[in-house]
Amino acid sequence: MTSKQRAYLSSLASTLTPIFQVGKSSLTPEIVEAINLALEKRELIKISVLKNCADDPREIAEIMGERTHSTVVRVIGKKIILYRKAKRNSKINLPN
């Protein structure tokens, strides 16, 4: 992913509210599956890491990206932005 594409996705995500929160139990199989389903429907999602989570948000983002086969667009503080192109009905067209 190019920096131009990353900036474009980041600007789209700026208006989004986080739809998932990672808390004390960190990454559970249930939250990974829910994120996987959300990525298929929305393509671009924002996740919030709560203060009581002991893990580093960058590590969480990397693991989540691997498990959901998605791209980590950006990690800002305790917010994670993930992107994965939908298999059907893709809504987001990335610039070249």
Coordinates of all heavy atoms in Angstrom, one line a residue:
M1 N 0.8 -1.2 0.0 CA 0.0 0.0 0.0 C 0.9 1.2 0.0 O 1.8 1.3 0.8 CB -0.9 0.0 1.3 CG -1.8 1.2 1.4 SD -2.9 1.1 2.7 CE -4.2 0.0 2.0
T2 N 0.6 2.2 -0.9 CA 1.4 3.4 -1.0 C 1.0 4.4 0.1 O -0.1 4.3 0.7 CB 1.2 4.0 -2.4 OG1 -0.2 4.5 -2.5 CG2 1.5 3.1 -3.5
S3 N 1.8 5.4 0.3 CA 1.5 6.4 1.3 C 0.3 7.2 0.9 O -0.5 7.7 1.7 CB 2.7 7.3 1.5 OG 3.1 8.0 0.3
K4 N 0.1 7.4 -0.4 CA -1.0 8.1 -0.9 C -2.4 7.4 -0.6 O -3.3 8.0 -0.2 CB -0.9 8.3 -2.4 CG -2.0 9.2 -3.1 CD -1.7 9.4 -4.5 CE -2.7 10.3 -5.2 NZ -2.4 10.5 -6.6
Q5 N -2.3 6.1 -0.8 CA -3.5 5.3 -0.5 C -3.8 5.3 1.0 O -4.9 5.3 1.5 CB -3.3 3.8 -1.0 CG -3.3 3.7 -2.5 CD -2.9 2.3 -3.0 OE1 -2.1 1.6 -2.3 NE2 -3.3 2.0 -4.1
R6 N -2.7 5.2 1.8 CA -2.8 5.2 3.2 C -3.4 6.5 3.7 O -4.3 6.5 4.6 CB -1.4 5.0 3.8 CG -1.4 4.4 5.2 CD 0.1 4.1 5.6 NE 0.7 3.0 5.0 CZ 0.5 1.7 5.3 NH1 -0.3 1.4 6.3 NH2 1.1 0.7 4.7
A7 N -3.0 7.6 3.1 CA -3.5 8.9 3.5 C -5.0 9.1 3.1 O -5.8 9.6 3.9 CB -2.7 10.0 2.8
Y8 N -5.3 8.5 2.0 CA -6.7 8.6 1.5 C -7.6 7.8 2.5 O -8.7 8.3 2.9 CB -6.8 8.0 0.1 CG -8.2 7.9 -0.4 CD1 -9.0 9.0 -0.7 CD2 -8.8 6.6 -0.5 CE1 -10.3 8.9 -1.2 CE2 -10.1 6.5 -1.0 CZ -10.8 7.6 -1.3 OH -12.1 7.5 -1.8
L9 N -7.2 6.6 2.9 CA -8.0 5.7 3.8 C -8.1 6.4 5.2 O -9.1 6.3 5.8 CB -7.4 4.3 3.9 CG -7.6 3.5 2.7 CD1 -6.8 2.2 2.8 CD2 -9.0 3.2 2.4
S10 N -7.0 7.0 5.6 CA -6.9 7.7 6.9 C -7.9 8.8 6.9 O -8.6 9.1 7.9 CB -5.5 8.1 7.2 OG -5.4 8.6 8.5
S11 N -8.0 9.6 5.8 CA -8.9 10.7 5.7 C -10.4 10.2 5.8 O -11.3 10.8 6.3 CB -8.7 11.5 4.5 OG -9.1 10.8 3.3
L12 N -10.7 9.1 5.1 CA -12.0 8.5 5.2 C -12.4 8.0 6.6 O -13.5 8.2 7.0 CB -12.1 7.3 4.2 CG -12.1 7.5 2.7 CD1 -12.2 6.2 2.0 CD2 -13.3 8.4 2.3
A13 N -11.4 7.5 7.3 CA -11.6 7.0 8.6 C -11.7 8.1 9.7 O -12.2 7.8 10.8 CB -10.5 6.0 9.0
S14 N -11.3 9.3 9.3 CA -11.3 10.3 10.3 C -12.8 10.6 10.8 O -13.0 11.1 12.0 CB -10.7 11.6 9.8 OG -11.5 12.1 8.8
T15 N -13.8 10.4 10.0 CA -15.1 10.6 10.4 C -15.8 9.4 11.1 O -16.9 9.5 11.6 CB -16.0 11.0 9.2 OG1 -15.9 9.9 8.2 CG2 -15.5 12.3 8.5
L16 N -15.1 8.3 11.0 CA -15.7 7.1 11.6 C -15.6 7.1 13.1 O -14.6 7.6 13.7 CB -15.0 5.8 11.1 CG -15.1 5.5 9.6 CD1 -14.2 4.3 9.3 CD2 -16.5 5.2 9.2
T17 N -16.5 6.4 13.8 CA -16.4 6.2 15.2 C -15.9 4.8 15.4 O -16.3 3.9 14.6 CB -17.7 6.4 15.9 OG1 -18.7 5.6 15.3 CG2 -18.2 7.9 15.9
P18 N -15.2 4.5 16.5 CA -14.7 3.1 16.7 C -15.9 2.2 16.9 O -16.8 2.5 17.7 CB -13.8 3.2 17.9 CG -13.4 4.6 18.0 CD -14.6 5.4 17.4
I19 N -15.9 1.0 16.2 CA -17.0 0.1 16.4 C -16.6 -1.1 17.3 O -17.5 -1.9 17.6 CB -17.5 -0.4 15.0 CG1 -16.4 -1.1 14.2 CG2 -18.1 0.7 14.2 CD1 -16.9 -1.8 13.0
F20 N -15.3 -1.2 17.6 CA -14.9 -2.2 18.5 C -14.0 -1.6 19.6 O -13.3 -0.7 19.3 CB -14.1 -3.3 17.8 CG -15.0 -4.2 16.9 CD1 -14.9 -4.0 15.5 CD2 -15.8 -5.1 17.5 CE1 -15.7 -4.8 14.7 CE2 -16.6 -5.9 16.7 CZ -16.6 -5.7 15.3
Q21 N -14.0 -2.2 20.8 CA -13.1 -1.8 21.8 C -12.3 -3.0 22.3 O -13.0 -4.1 22.6 CB -13.9 -1.2 23.0 CG -14.6 0.1 22.6 CD -15.4 0.6 23.8 OE1 -15.8 -0.1 24.6 NE2 -15.5 1.9 23.8
V22 N -11.0 -2.9 22.4 CA -10.2 -4.0 22.9 C -9.9 -3.6 24.4 O -9.3 -2.6 24.6 CB -8.9 -4.2 22.1 CG1 -8.0 -5.2 22.7 CG2 -9.2 -4.5 20.6
G23 N -10.3 -4.5 25.3 CA -10.1 -4.2 26.7 C -9.1 -5.1 27.4 O -8.1 -5.5 26.8
K24 N -9.4 -5.4 28.7 CA -8.5 -6.1 29.5 C -8.1 -7.5 29.0 O -7.0 -8.0 29.1 CB -9.1 -6.3 30.9 CG -8.2 -6.8 32.0 CD -8.7 -6.8 33.4 CE -10.2 -6.6 33.5 NZ -10.7 -6.8 34.9
S25 N -9.1 -8.2 28.4 CA -8.8 -9.6 27.8 C -8.1 -9.6 26.5 O -7.8 -10.6 26.0 CB -10.1 -10.3 27.7 OG -11.0 -9.7 26.8
S26 N -7.8 -8.4 26.0 CA -7.0 -8.2 24.8 C -7.7 -8.9 23.6 O -8.9 -8.7 23.4 CB -5.6 -8.7 24.9 OG -4.8 -8.2 23.9
L27 N -7.0 -9.6 22.7 CA -7.5 -10.2 21.5 C -8.1 -11.6 21.8 O -7.3 -12.5 22.1 CB -6.5 -10.3 20.4 CG -6.1 -9.0 19.8 CD1 -5.1 -9.2 18.7 CD2 -7.3 -8.4 19.1
T28 N -9.4 -11.7 21.8 CA -10.0 -13.1 21.9 C -10.4 -13.5 20.6 O -10.6 -12.7 19.6 CB -11.2 -13.0 22.8 OG1 -12.2 -12.1 22.2 CG2 -10.9 -12.5 24.2
P29 N -10.6 -14.8 20.4 CA -11.0 -15.4 19.1 C -12.4 -14.7 18.6 O -12.6 -14.5 17.5 CB -11.2 -16.9 19.3 CG -10.3 -17.2 20.4 CD -10.3 -15.9 21.3
E30 N -13.2 -14.4 19.6 CA -14.5 -13.9 19.3 C -14.4 -12.5 18.7 O -15.1 -12.1 17.7 CB -15.4 -13.8 20.6 CG -15.8 -15.1 21.1 CD -14.8 -15.8 22.0 OE1 -13.8 -15.1 22.4 OE2 -14.9 -17.0 22.2
I31 N -13.5 -11.6 19.3 CA -13.4 -10.3 18.7 C -12.7 -10.3 17.4 O -13.1 -9.5 16.5 CB -12.6 -9.3 19.7 CG1 -12.9 -7.9 19.3 CG2 -11.2 -9.6 19.8 CD1 -12.5 -6.9 20.3
V32 N -11.8 -11.2 17.2 CA -11.1 -11.4 15.9 C -12.2 -11.8 14.8 O -12.2 -11.2 13.7 CB -10.0 -12.4 15.9 CG1 -9.4 -12.7 14.5 CG2 -8.9 -11.9 16.8
E33 N -13.1 -12.7 15.1 CA -14.1 -13.1 14.2 C -15.1 -12.0 13.9 O -15.5 -11.8 12.7 CB -14.9 -14.3 14.8 CG -15.9 -14.9 13.8 CD -15.3 -15.3 12.5 OE1 -14.2 -15.8 12.4 OE2 -16.1 -15.2 11.5
A34 N -15.4 -11.2 14.9 CA -16.4 -10.1 14.7 C -15.7 -9.0 13.8 O -16.4 -8.4 13.0 CB -16.7 -9.5 16.1
I35 N -14.4 -8.8 14.0 CA -13.7 -7.8 13.2 C -13.6 -8.3 11.8 O -13.8 -7.5 10.8 CB -12.3 -7.5 13.8 CG1 -12.5 -6.7 15.1 CG2 -11.4 -6.8 12.8 CD1 -11.2 -6.6 15.9
N36 N -13.4 -9.6 11.6 CA -13.4 -10.2 10.3 C -14.7 -9.9 9.5 O -14.7 -9.6 8.4 CB -13.1 -11.7 10.4 CG -12.4 -12.2 9.3 OD1 -11.9 -11.5 8.4 ND2 -12.3 -13.5 9.2
L37 N -15.8 -10.2 10.2 CA -17.1 -10.0 9.6 C -17.4 -8.5 9.3 O -17.9 -8.1 8.2 CB -18.2 -10.5 10.5 CG -18.3 -12.0 10.7 CD1 -19.3 -12.4 11.8 CD2 -18.6 -12.7 9.4
A38 N -17.0 -7.6 10.2 CA -17.1 -6.2 10.0 C -16.3 -5.7 8.8 O -16.8 -4.8 8.0 CB -16.8 -5.4 11.2
L39 N -15.1 -6.2 8.6 CA -14.3 -5.8 7.5 C -14.9 -6.2 6.2 O -14.8 -5.5 5.2 CB -12.9 -6.4 7.6 CG -11.9 -5.7 8.6 CD1 -10.7 -6.6 8.8 CD2 -11.5 -4.4 8.0
E40 N -15.5 -7.4 6.2 CA -16.2 -7.8 4.9 C -17.3 -6.9 4.5 O -17.6 -6.6 3.4 CB -16.7 -9.3 5.1 CG -17.2 -9.9 3.8 CD -16.2 -9.9 2.7 OE1 -15.0 -10.1 2.9 OE2 -16.7 -9.6 1.5
K41 N -18.1 -6.4 5.5 CA -19.2 -5.5 5.3 C -18.8 -4.1 5.0 O -19.3 -3.4 4.1 CB -20.2 -5.5 6.4 CG -21.0 -6.8 6.5 CD -22.4 -6.4 6.9 CE -23.2 -7.6 7.1 NZ -23.8 -8.2 6.0
R42 N -17.8 -3.5 5.8 CA -17.5 -2.1 5.8 C -16.2 -1.8 5.1 O -16.0 -0.7 4.7 CB -17.4 -1.6 7.2 CG -18.7 -1.7 8.0 CD -18.5 -1.2 9.3 NE -19.7 -1.3 10.1 CZ -20.2 -0.5 11.0 NH1 -19.5 0.6 11.2 NH2 -21.3 -0.7 11.7
E43 N -15.3 -2.7 5.0 CA -13.9 -2.5 4.4 C -13.0 -1.7 5.2 O -11.8 -2.0 5.3 CB -14.0 -1.9 3.0 CG -14.7 -2.8 2.0 CD -14.7 -2.2 0.6 OE1 -15.4 -1.2 0.4 OE2 -14.0 -2.7 -0.3
L44 N -13.5 -0.6 5.8 CA -12.6 0.2 6.6 C -13.3 0.4 8.0 O -14.4 0.8 8.1 CB -12.5 1.6 5.9 CG -11.6 2.6 6.5 CD1 -10.1 2.2 6.4 CD2 -11.8 4.0 5.9
I45 N -12.5 0.0 9.1 CA -13.1 0.1 10.4 C -12.0 0.8 11.3 O -10.8 0.7 11.1 CB -13.5 -1.3 11.0 CG1 -12.3 -2.2 11.1 CG2 -14.6 -1.8 10.2 CD1 -12.6 -3.5 11.9
K46 N -12.6 1.3 12.4 CA -11.7 1.9 13.5 C -12.0 1.2 14.8 O -13.1 0.9 15.1 CB -12.1 3.4 13.6 CG -11.1 4.2 14.5 CD -11.5 5.6 14.7 CE -11.2 6.5 13.6 NZ -11.5 7.9 13.9
I47 N -10.9 0.9 15.5 CA -10.9 0.1 16.7 C -10.3 0.9 17.8 O -9.2 1.5 17.6 CB -10.2 -1.3 16.5 CG1 -10.9 -2.0 15.4 CG2 -10.2 -2.0 17.8 CD1 -10.0 -3.1 14.9
S48 N -10.8 0.9 19.0 CA -10.3 1.6 20.1 C -9.7 0.6 21.1 O -10.3 -0.4 21.4 CB -11.4 2.4 20.8 OG -10.9 3.1 21.9
V49 N -8.5 0.9 21.6 CA -7.9 0.1 22.6 C -8.1 0.9 24.0 O -7.7 2.0 24.1 CB -6.4 -0.1 22.4 CG1 -5.7 -0.9 23.5 CG2 -6.2 -0.7 21.0
L50 N -8.7 0.2 24.9 CA -9.0 0.8 26.2 C -7.8 1.0 27.1 O -6.8 0.3 26.9 CB -10.1 0.0 26.9 CG -11.5 -0.1 26.2 CD1 -12.4 -1.0 27.0 CD2 -12.1 1.3 25.9
K51 N -7.9 1.9 28.1 CA -6.8 2.1 29.0 C -6.4 0.9 29.8 O -5.2 0.7 30.2 CB -7.1 3.3 29.9 CG -7.1 4.6 29.2 CD -7.4 5.7 30.1 CE -7.5 7.0 29.4 NZ -7.9 8.1 30.3
N52 N -7.4 0.0 30.1 CA -7.1 -1.1 31.0 C -6.5 -2.3 30.2 O -6.2 -3.3 30.8 CB -8.4 -1.6 31.7 CG -9.4 -2.1 30.7 OD1 -9.3 -2.0 29.5 ND2 -10.5 -2.6 31.3
C53 N -6.2 -2.1 28.9 CA -5.5 -3.2 28.1 C -4.0 -3.0 28.3 O -3.5 -1.9 28.0 CB -5.9 -3.0 26.6 SG -5.2 -4.3 25.6
A54 N -3.3 -4.0 28.7 CA -1.9 -3.9 29.0 C -1.0 -4.0 27.7 O 0.1 -3.6 27.7 CB -1.5 -5.0 30.0
D55 N -1.6 -4.5 26.6 CA -0.8 -4.7 25.4 C -0.6 -3.4 24.6 O -1.4 -2.5 24.7 CB -1.5 -5.7 24.5 CG -1.5 -7.1 25.2 OD1 -0.7 -7.4 26.0 OD2 -2.5 -7.9 24.8
D56 N 0.4 -3.3 23.8 CA 0.7 -2.2 23.0 C -0.2 -2.1 21.8 O -0.4 -3.2 21.1 CB 2.2 -2.3 22.5 CG 2.6 -1.1 21.7 OD1 2.2 0.0 22.0 OD2 3.3 -1.3 20.6
P57 N -0.8 -1.0 21.5 CA -1.8 -0.9 20.4 C -1.1 -1.3 19.0 O -1.8 -1.9 18.2 CB -2.2 0.6 20.4 CG -2.0 1.0 21.8 CD -0.8 0.2 22.3
R58 N 0.1 -1.0 18.9 CA 0.8 -1.4 17.6 C 0.9 -2.9 17.4 O 0.7 -3.4 16.4 CB 2.2 -0.7 17.5 CG 2.1 0.8 17.4 CD 3.4 1.4 17.0 NE 3.4 2.8 17.0 CZ 2.8 3.6 16.0 NH1 2.4 3.0 14.9 NH2 2.8 4.9 16.1
E59 N 1.2 -3.6 18.5 CA 1.3 -5.0 18.5 C -0.1 -5.6 18.2 O -0.2 -6.6 17.5 CB 1.9 -5.6 19.8 CG 3.3 -5.3 20.1 CD 3.8 -5.8 21.4 OE1 3.1 -6.6 22.0 OE2 4.9 -5.3 21.9
I60 N -1.1 -5.1 18.9 CA -2.4 -5.6 18.7 C -2.8 -5.4 17.2 O -3.4 -6.3 16.6 CB -3.4 -4.8 19.6 CG1 -3.2 -5.2 21.1 CG2 -4.9 -5.1 19.2 CD1 -4.0 -4.4 22.1
A61 N -2.5 -4.2 16.7 CA -2.9 -3.9 15.3 C -2.2 -4.9 14.3 O -2.8 -5.4 13.4 CB -2.5 -2.5 14.9
E62 N -0.9 -5.2 14.6 CA -0.2 -6.1 13.7 C -0.7 -7.5 13.8 O -1.0 -8.2 12.8 CB 1.3 -6.2 14.2 CG 2.3 -6.5 13.1 CD 3.7 -6.2 13.5 OE1 4.0 -5.1 13.8 OE2 4.5 -7.2 13.5
I63 N -1.0 -8.0 15.0 CA -1.6 -9.3 15.2 C -3.0 -9.4 14.5 O -3.4 -10.4 13.8 CB -1.7 -9.7 16.7 CG1 -0.3 -9.9 17.2 CG2 -2.5 -11.0 16.9 CD1 -0.2 -10.0 18.7
M64 N -3.8 -8.3 14.7 CA -5.1 -8.3 14.2 C -5.1 -8.3 12.6 O -5.9 -9.0 12.0 CB -5.8 -7.0 14.7 CG -7.3 -7.2 14.8 SD -8.1 -5.8 15.5 CE -7.4 -5.7 17.1
G65 N -4.1 -7.6 12.1 CA -4.0 -7.6 10.6 C -3.6 -8.9 10.1 O -4.1 -9.3 9.0
E66 N -2.8 -9.7 10.8 CA -2.4 -11.0 10.3 C -3.6 -12.0 10.4 O -3.8 -12.7 9.5 CB -1.3 -11.6 11.2 CG 0.1 -10.9 11.0 CD 1.1 -11.4 12.0 OE1 0.9 -12.4 12.7 OE2 2.2 -10.7 12.0
R67 N -4.3 -11.9 11.5 CA -5.4 -12.9 11.7 C -6.6 -12.6 10.8 O -7.3 -13.5 10.5 CB -5.8 -12.8 13.2 CG -4.8 -13.4 14.1 CD -5.3 -13.5 15.5 NE -4.2 -14.0 16.4 CZ -4.3 -14.0 17.7 NH1 -5.4 -13.5 18.3 NH2 -3.3 -14.4 18.5
T68 N -6.8 -11.3 10.4 CA -8.0 -11.0 9.6 C -7.6 -10.8 8.1 O -8.4 -10.5 7.3 CB -8.7 -9.7 10.1 OG1 -7.8 -8.6 10.1 CG2 -9.2 -9.9 11.5
H69 N -6.3 -10.9 7.8 CA -5.7 -10.7 6.5 C -6.1 -9.3 6.0 O -6.5 -9.1 4.8 CB -6.3 -11.8 5.5 CG -6.0 -13.2 6.0 ND1 -4.8 -13.7 6.0 CD2 -6.9 -14.1 6.4 CE1 -4.8 -15.0 6.5 NE2 -6.1 -15.2 6.8
S70 N -5.9 -8.3 6.8 CA -6.2 -7.0 6.5 C -4.9 -6.1 6.6 O -3.9 -6.6 7.1 CB -7.3 -6.4 7.4 OG -6.9 -6.4 8.8
T71 N -5.0 -4.9 6.1 CA -3.9 -4.0 6.2 C -4.1 -3.0 7.3 O -5.2 -2.4 7.5 CB -3.8 -3.2 4.9 OG1 -3.7 -4.1 3.8 CG2 -2.6 -2.3 4.8
V72 N -3.1 -2.8 8.1 CA -3.1 -1.7 9.2 C -2.9 -0.4 8.5 O -1.8 -0.2 8.0 CB -2.1 -2.0 10.3 CG1 -2.1 -0.9 11.3 CG2 -2.3 -3.4 10.9
V73 N -3.9 0.4 8.4 CA -3.7 1.8 7.8 C -2.9 2.7 8.7 O -1.9 3.3 8.2 CB -5.1 2.4 7.5 CG1 -4.9 3.8 6.9 CG2 -5.9 1.5 6.5
R74 N -3.3 2.8 9.9 CA -2.6 3.7 10.8 C -3.0 3.3 12.3 O -4.1 2.8 12.6 CB -3.1 5.1 10.5 CG -2.3 6.1 11.3 CD -2.4 7.5 10.7 NE -1.6 7.6 9.5 CZ -1.7 8.5 8.6 NH1 -2.6 9.4 8.7 NH2 -0.8 8.5 7.6
V75 N -2.0 3.6 13.2 CA -2.3 3.5 14.6 C -1.9 4.8 15.2 O -0.8 5.3 15.1 CB -1.4 2.4 15.3 CG1 -1.6 2.3 16.7 CG2 -1.6 1.0 14.6
I76 N -2.9 5.5 15.7 CA -2.7 6.8 16.4 C -3.1 6.7 17.8 O -4.3 6.5 18.1 CB -3.5 7.9 15.7 CG1 -3.2 8.0 14.2 CG2 -3.3 9.2 16.3 CD1 -4.0 8.9 13.4
G77 N -2.2 6.8 18.7 CA -2.5 6.6 20.1 C -3.1 5.3 20.4 O -2.4 4.2 20.2
K78 N -4.3 5.2 20.8 CA -5.0 4.0 21.1 C -6.1 3.7 20.1 O -7.0 2.9 20.4 CB -5.6 4.0 22.5 CG -4.5 4.2 23.6 CD -4.9 3.4 24.8 CE -3.8 3.4 25.8 NZ -3.2 2.1 26.1
K79 N -6.0 4.3 18.9 CA -7.0 4.0 17.8 C -6.2 3.3 16.7 O -5.1 3.6 16.3 CB -7.5 5.3 17.3 CG -8.2 6.2 18.3 CD -9.7 5.7 18.5 CE -10.4 6.7 19.4 NZ -10.4 6.4 20.8
I80 N -6.9 2.2 16.2 CA -6.4 1.4 15.1 C -7.3 1.5 13.9 O -8.5 1.4 14.1 CB -6.2 -0.1 15.5 CG1 -5.3 -0.2 16.8 CG2 -5.8 -0.9 14.4 CD1 -5.4 -1.5 17.4
I81 N -6.8 1.7 12.7 CA -7.6 1.7 11.5 C -7.2 0.6 10.6 O -6.0 0.4 10.3 CB -7.4 3.1 10.7 CG1 -7.7 4.3 11.6 CG2 -8.2 3.1 9.5 CD1 -7.3 5.6 11.0
L82 N -8.1 -0.3 10.3 CA -7.9 -1.5 9.5 C -8.7 -1.4 8.2 O -9.8 -0.8 8.1 CB -8.3 -2.7 10.2 CG -7.5 -3.2 11.4 CD1 -8.2 -4.4 12.0 CD2 -6.1 -3.4 11.1
Y83 N -8.1 -1.9 7.1 CA -8.7 -1.9 5.8 C -8.5 -3.3 5.1 O -7.4 -3.9 5.2 CB -8.1 -0.8 4.9 CG -8.6 -1.0 3.4 CD1 -9.8 -0.6 3.0 CD2 -7.7 -1.5 2.5 CE1 -10.2 -0.7 1.7 CE2 -8.1 -1.6 1.2 CZ -9.4 -1.2 0.8 OH -9.8 -1.4 -0.5
R84 N -9.6 -3.8 4.5 CA -9.5 -5.0 3.7 C -10.6 -4.8 2.6 O -11.7 -4.6 2.9 CB -9.7 -6.2 4.5 CG -9.6 -7.5 3.6 CD -9.8 -8.8 4.4 NE -11.2 -8.9 4.7 CZ -11.6 -9.7 5.7 NH1 -10.8 -10.3 6.5 NH2 -12.9 -9.8 5.9
K85 N -10.1 -5.0 1.4 CA -11.1 -4.9 0.2 C -12.1 -6.0 0.3 O -11.7 -7.2 0.5 CB -10.3 -5.0 -1.1 CG -11.1 -4.7 -2.3 CD -10.2 -4.6 -3.5 CE -10.9 -4.3 -4.8 NZ -11.5 -3.0 -4.9
A86 N -13.3 -5.7 0.1 CA -14.4 -6.7 0.2 C -14.3 -7.6 -1.0 O -14.0 -7.2 -2.1 CB -15.8 -6.0 0.3
K87 N -14.7 -8.9 -0.8 CA -14.7 -9.8 -1.9 C -15.8 -9.5 -2.9 O -15.6 -9.7 -4.1 CB -14.8 -11.2 -1.4 CG -13.6 -11.7 -0.6 CD -13.8 -13.1 0.0 CE -12.6 -13.5 0.7 NZ -12.8 -13.6 2.2
R88 N -16.9 -9.0 -2.4 CA -18.1 -8.7 -3.2 C -18.5 -7.2 -2.9 O -18.4 -6.8 -1.7 CB -19.2 -9.6 -3.0 CG -19.0 -11.0 -3.5 CD -20.2 -11.9 -3.3 NE -20.1 -12.3 -1.8 CZ -21.1 -12.7 -1.1 NH1 -22.3 -12.6 -1.6 NH2 -20.9 -13.0 0.1
N89 N -19.0 -6.5 -3.9 CA -19.5 -5.2 -3.7 C -18.5 -4.2 -3.0 O -18.8 -3.6 -2.0 CB -20.8 -5.2 -2.9 CG -21.9 -6.0 -3.6 OD1 -21.9 -6.1 -4.8 ND2 -22.7 -6.7 -2.8
S90 N -17.3 -4.1 -3.5 CA -16.3 -3.2 -3.0 C -16.8 -1.7 -3.2 O -17.2 -1.3 -4.3 CB -15.0 -3.4 -3.6 OG -14.0 -2.5 -3.1
K91 N -16.8 -0.9 -2.1 CA -17.3 0.4 -2.1 C -16.1 1.5 -2.2 O -16.3 2.6 -2.7 CB -18.1 0.7 -0.9 CG -19.3 -0.1 -0.8 CD -20.1 0.2 0.5 CE -21.2 -0.8 0.7 NZ -21.1 -1.6 1.9
I92 N -15.0 1.1 -1.7 CA -13.8 2.0 -1.7 C -12.9 1.8 -2.8 O -12.4 0.7 -3.0 CB -13.1 1.9 -0.3 CG1 -14.0 2.2 0.9 CG2 -11.9 2.8 -0.3 CD1 -13.4 2.0 2.2
N93 N -12.7 2.8 -3.6 CA -11.7 2.7 -4.7 C -10.4 3.5 -4.3 O -10.5 4.7 -4.1 CB -12.3 3.3 -6.0 CG -13.5 2.5 -6.5 OD1 -13.5 1.3 -6.5 ND2 -14.5 3.2 -7.0
L94 N -9.3 2.8 -4.2 CA -8.1 3.4 -3.8 C -7.4 4.1 -5.0 O -7.5 3.7 -6.1 CB -7.1 2.3 -3.3 CG -7.5 1.6 -2.0 CD1 -6.5 0.5 -1.7 CD2 -7.6 2.5 -0.9
P95 N -6.9 5.3 -4.7 CA -6.1 6.0 -5.7 C -4.8 5.3 -6.1 O -4.3 4.5 -5.3 CB -5.8 7.4 -5.1 CG -5.9 7.1 -3.6 CD -6.8 6.0 -3.4
N96 N -4.4 5.5 -7.3 CA -3.1 4.8 -7.8 C -1.9 5.5 -7.3 O -1.7 6.6 -7.1 CB -3.1 4.7 -9.3 CG -4.2 3.7 -9.7 OD1 -4.6 2.8 -9.0 ND2 -4.7 4.0 -10.9

